[in-house]
């Protein structure tokens, strides 16, 4: 029996035959079927290959084309699990701003499956840090909480040194003037040499945060950077 963390409904857990056949680890869920159905997976939908935003045309979306003009030699590779719809927005807000740590559990199975794919085996997972103010307010970094819930190891290579104030300017000048909020922890520089890394954030909004982080990581001798977010 589960108690849905979101709506409070009690529900009997059903074992899925597919999981039994594949000997998959049976996860206890934290969300009832009705709430879970409101999560819309992006896999299989038509998305931009650069940022995973729903996009019906071929090639990069208009946002990615702008980023490409700013970072001409950046290789775009971004995966998001779910559509950032009203339900997920509310869930993430409750998780982050009301500080309900338990809500990290919602994504644990999908996050674990994603990072445990053989293709990601030797990659280094790096969470986007949050500002000191947010950390004090919330008590935890939501990205680390999501990774911890999924039992995925990560390296805290980046530190947040900014004010935490977001600038969401769409024009090039505004984007490029927004100050770098992160700092690379020099102790990890050597460890990143020749490695593939996955930068992890909760939501991909403008891309500014991930590009700031990637910009710093690219000062090291790492091999490739890709990014992963829960929502887009
Ligand atoms: Zn529910
Ligand atoms: Zn795009």
């Amino acid at each position: 029996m589960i108690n849905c963390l979101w709506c409070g409904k009690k529900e009997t857990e059903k074992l899925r035959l597919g999981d039994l056949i594949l000997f998959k680890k049976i996860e206890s869920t934290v969300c009832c079927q009705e709430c879970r159905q409101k999560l819309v997976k992006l896999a299989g939908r038509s998305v931009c290959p650069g940022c995973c935003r729903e996009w019906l045309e071929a090639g990069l979306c208009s946002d990615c084309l702008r980023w490409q003009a700013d970072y001409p030699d950046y290789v775009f590779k971004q995966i998001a699990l779910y559509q950032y719809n009203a339900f997920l927005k509310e869930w993430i807000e409750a998780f982050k701003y009301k500080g309900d740590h338990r809500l990290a559990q919602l994504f644990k199975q999908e996050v674990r499956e994603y990072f445990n794919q053989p293709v990601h085996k030797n990659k280094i997972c790096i969470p986007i840090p949050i500002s000191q103010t947010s950390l004090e307010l919330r008590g935890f970094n939501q990205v680390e909480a999501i990774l911890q819930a999924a039992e995925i190891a990560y390296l805290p290579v980046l530190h947040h040194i900014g004010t935490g104030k977001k600038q969401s300017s769409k024009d090039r000048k505004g984007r490029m003037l927004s100050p770098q909020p992160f700092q690379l922890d020099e102790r990890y520089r050597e460890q990143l040499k020749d490695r593939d890394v996955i930068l992890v954030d909760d939501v991909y909004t403008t891309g500014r945060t991930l590009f700031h982080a990637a910009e710093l990581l690219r000062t090291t001798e790492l091999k490739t950077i890709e990014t992963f977010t829960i929502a887009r």
Side-chain angles (χ1 to χ4, degrees), residues 51-190:
C51 67
C52 231
R53 149 195 190 186
E54 286 190 81
W55 183 249
L56 297 172
E57 293 163 46
L60 295 176
C61 75
S62 44
D63 282 0
C64 285
L65 287 177
R66 278 193 288 262
W67 284 121
Q68 200 173 41
D70 298 340
Y71 297 98
D73 55 351
Y74 182 81
V75 182
F76 288 77
K77 201 172 179 200
Q78 145 73 12
I79 289 292
L81 287 182
Y82 308 105
Q83 192 184 74
Y84 196 38
N85 58 14
F87 171 72
L88 191 49
K89 205 171 194 152
E90 266 187 66
W91 185 289
I92 285 181
E93 271 166 18
F95 171 45
K96 272 161 81 163
Y97 304 117
K98 293 186 192 138
D100 192 344
H101 194 277
R102 301 172 305 168
L103 296 180
Q105 302 287 325
L106 177 66
F107 322 107
K108 66 179 175 189
Q109 185 148 2
E110 283 81 5
V111 171
R112 186 180 298 149
E113 279 171 14
Y114 181 80
F115 285 95
N116 285 343
Q117 290 173 74
V119 61
H120 294 143
K121 205 168 175 247
N122 293 312
K123 295 180 183 172
I124 297 180
C125 184
I126 300 175
I128 292 290
I130 60 173
S131 71
Q132 204 50 41
T133 320
S134 304
L135 194 60
E136 275 158 26
L137 228 57
R138 208 168 292 172
F140 61 93
N141 172 339
Q142 72 279 2
V143 185
E144 292 185 13
I146 289 167
L147 291 168
Q148 283 162 8
E151 295 167 321
I152 301 301
Y154 57 84
L155 272 190
V157 167
L158 299 170
H159 296 305
H160 199 298
I161 50 164
T163 56
K165 282 207 189 79
K166 285 253 160 75
Q167 270 174 296
S168 49
S169 179
K170 279 228 164 182
D171 62 286
R172 176 159 203 265
K173 210 171 144 214
R175 280 204 314 278
M176 297 319 274
L177 282 177
S178 94
Q180 170 63 265
F182 307 126
Q183 194 173 48
L184 181 80
D185 189 329
E186 291 298 329
R187 289 173 299 177
Y188 295 107
R189 188 177 284 276
E190 201 47 37

